[in-house]
Amino acid sequence: MYGNAYIDPNEKANLILAEEDPQKLAEFEARIDRGEKIEPKDWMPKEYRKQLIRMIEQHAHSEIIGALPEGTWITRAPGFKRKLALMAKVQDEVGHAQLLYSAAETLGKSREAMINDLITGKSKYSNVFNYPAFTWADACVIAWLIDAGAIINQVANAKGSYGPYCRALDRICTEESFHLKYGHDNVVTLATGSSIQRDMVQGALIRWWPPIMHFFGPSDKISQHTEILMKWKVKMASNDDMRQQFLDMYVPKIWDLGLSIPDPLLKKNTATNKWEYTEPDWDEFKRVINGDGPCNAERLAVRRHAEEHGRWVREALNNVGSKYIVPLA
Amino acid sequence: MIKSLDPRVTRAQIEENNTITPLKDLDQWETYEVFHQKKRGDQHMHVGIVHAPNAEMAFLFGKEQYGRRGFSVNIWVVKTRDVFASEYDDSDIFDTVPEKQYREAGGYKVMEKINKYKKGV
């Protein structure tokens, strides 16, 4: 599950292309234009490497941290079947992180360095996971709509230029299709159930709508250095285009269930064929992604705890060859 | 202590500002390349990597990571550093020159000879 990588608008958009060998750069860009993939040992501009590491790493962290709000409801999932399904989904997300860390490593950043940057808060992850899953219905809305958003993003990026990332995404998309159906089934069950169930899912949708609108990242108007990244097929669609695609696919499905979306301005403009909506609160988005959200502190503390408490297992495995020998004297 | 919506987190009694020793190099071990066979009779195919302390653990992680959907009937793992690979920069080593037609099926024009023979030329 993942939205677009977050680019800090305060970061200097210093694309140091001037330092790159123009001939190599031209060959590199021609390869991408021909639709060929770039592989780890190929020459690539420094900026390409840097942005891909940042993007794939954030994606990997998002999968790991995304398992936390959903995992909240494993112990209290309604019924054995839903509990099994949720556990399988959470396992998938953690597996996706493994695939993505592997892809990022091919660019030269070690897995240890990525994990260290996550637990110290240096690296970002998808902002939506800094929000709490108050009820079972929240977990259902996440599984349906956040995964739906993630699929839109991942299907687009799977056609990108970096081979290892594309291969990881192909595998991930296959698994996400189960998540989407599972999430939809859960939401439909609640929405077509008792009035208490309907209220529950409506409440969750109201809570999750702003984070969902934030999911694809800041509006193109304020999002920086998109152009070169799109040229290099690092980014395959603009944030606003993906948001439009999401609204197109899912707003009708939400309305079909008789649920209301908490945005009075939301409607499709038949003249432009585009959705109109209240501009998401990008100040809140920035505040939360920089650490001041409802769950940021908990998410990272839990991750640090897990890392520290799993250490003995890793160390024990390291000594797998050692044997107990009876003391000599 | 964190009071979480997740009862498991609350039970674990986690301090919100806990700190840990940063992971050292190789904390996550070296990598193994994983190959799987989709069904009996197919070639094994590379599917990705896993980090593991030894081949047995690599096998276990490989099975869980790449075989848990029932898409595999057989798995191989091999240490990444034991793979001797070619460089993309050297891909011209695979180019074939036109005069090596003698090792292509298309290099043999038997029908021409047969037709010529039949016409009794």
Side-chain angles (χ1 to χ4, degrees), chain A residues 9 17 31 56 77 104 123-124 139 144 163 166 170 186 192-193 211 248 253 266 277 279 303 312 324:
Chain A
L17 286 184
R31 187 182 293 286
I56 305 173
S123 292
K124 306 286 183 221
W144 185 32
C166 298
D170 280 341
N186 280 349
T192 58
D248 234 9
K253 289 194 173 80
L266 183 71
Y277 47 82
E279 192 60 36
R303 191 85 269 308
W312 72 271
Y324 178 76

Side-chain angles (χ1 to χ4, degrees), chain A residues 258-283:
Chain A
L259 296 171
S260 53
I261 294 170
D263 180 356
L265 299 183
L266 183 71
K267 67 168 175 13
K268 189 159 186 176
N269 182 328
T270 44
T272 59
N273 214 25
K274 296 266 184 206
W275 287 88
E276 291 170 358
Y277 47 82
T278 310
E279 192 60 36
D281 181 350
W282 297 116
D283 289 333

Side-chain angles (χ1 to χ4, degrees), chain A residues 179-194:
Chain A
H179 301 175
L180 184 66
K181 292 287 279 188
Y182 155 86
H184 195 198
D185 183 71
N186 280 349
V187 169
V188 169
T189 302
L190 293 174
T192 58
S194 67

Side-chain angles (χ1 to χ4, degrees), chain A residues 11-242:
Chain A
E11 196 180 64
K12 269 181 262 163
N14 50 348
L15 299 175
I16 341 163
L17 286 184
E19 284 179 20
E20 304 289 2
D21 179 333
Q23 195 192 334
K24 283 184 172 160
L25 183 63
E27 282 168 17
F28 167 85
E29 291 186 338
R31 187 182 293 286
I32 291 175
D33 287 344
R34 288 196 299 272
E36 290 176 27
K37 303 290 181 191
I38 304 298
E39 293 295 340
K41 287 183 179 167
D42 284 334
W43 182 92
M44 59 186 85
K46 287 189 201 72
E47 186 67 13
Y48 179 83
R49 185 184 299 277
K50 183 180 141 195
Q51 295 297 345
L52 267 174
I53 291 175
R54 182 188 53 79
M55 184 166 154
I56 305 173
E57 182 185 347
Q58 278 187 28
H59 191 166
H61 295 331
S62 302
E63 303 284 350
I64 288 276
I65 300 292
L68 298 175
E70 286 195 283
T72 303
W73 286 91
I74 287 178
T75 56
R76 294 158 296 167
F80 189 56
K81 200 181 145 195
R82 300 231 183 262
K83 189 197 277 272
L84 284 176
L86 181 55
M87 285 196 297
K89 181 180 188 304
V90 168
Q91 186 197 22
D92 282 352
E93 306 298 4
V94 176
H96 295 171
Q98 301 289 328
L99 293 172
L100 292 160
Y101 282 131
S102 301
E105 280 166 56
T106 62
L107 291 157
K109 183 165 181 179
S110 76
R111 185 171 296 210
E112 289 83 3
M114 288 188 272
I115 296 174
N116 284 334
D117 284 350
L118 171 66
I119 58 187
T120 55
K122 192 177 164 205
S123 292
K124 306 286 183 221
Y125 51 86
S126 191
N127 207 33
V128 282
F129 305 123
N130 288 319
Y131 291 87
F134 282 116
T135 70
W136 165 250
D138 291 68
C140 300
V141 168
I142 296 172
W144 185 32
L145 295 176
I146 299 292
D147 279 62
I151 291 174
I152 288 174
N153 179 58
Q154 288 165 171
V155 166
N157 282 344
K159 298 185 190 78
S161 62
Y162 191 57
Y165 190 37
C166 298
R167 292 191 284 272
L169 287 174
D170 280 341
R171 186 165 279 274
I172 288 170
C173 289
T174 313
E175 297 187 354
E176 293 275 7
S177 57
F178 139 65
H179 301 175
L180 184 66
K181 292 287 279 188
Y182 155 86
H184 195 198
D185 183 71
N186 280 349
V187 169
V188 169
T189 302
L190 293 174
T192 58
S194 67
S195 62
I196 296 172
Q197 286 174 309
R198 276 191 67 84
D199 289 350
M200 212 170 134
V201 74
Q202 179 64 68
L205 183 62
I206 290 172
R207 278 191 290 279
W208 281 87
W209 192 253
I212 286 169
M213 289 300 282
H214 284 150
F215 186 72
F216 295 100
S219 162
D220 297 343
K221 284 169 279 187
I222 52 174
S223 191
Q224 292 188 356
H225 56 188
T226 292
E227 206 175 303
I228 190 91
L229 297 183
M230 294 209 18
K231 183 179 177 193
W232 287 343
K233 296 186 188 168
V234 170
K235 206 170 158 60
M236 295 302 287
S238 80
N239 297 357
D240 283 340
D241 285 351
M242 282 198 270

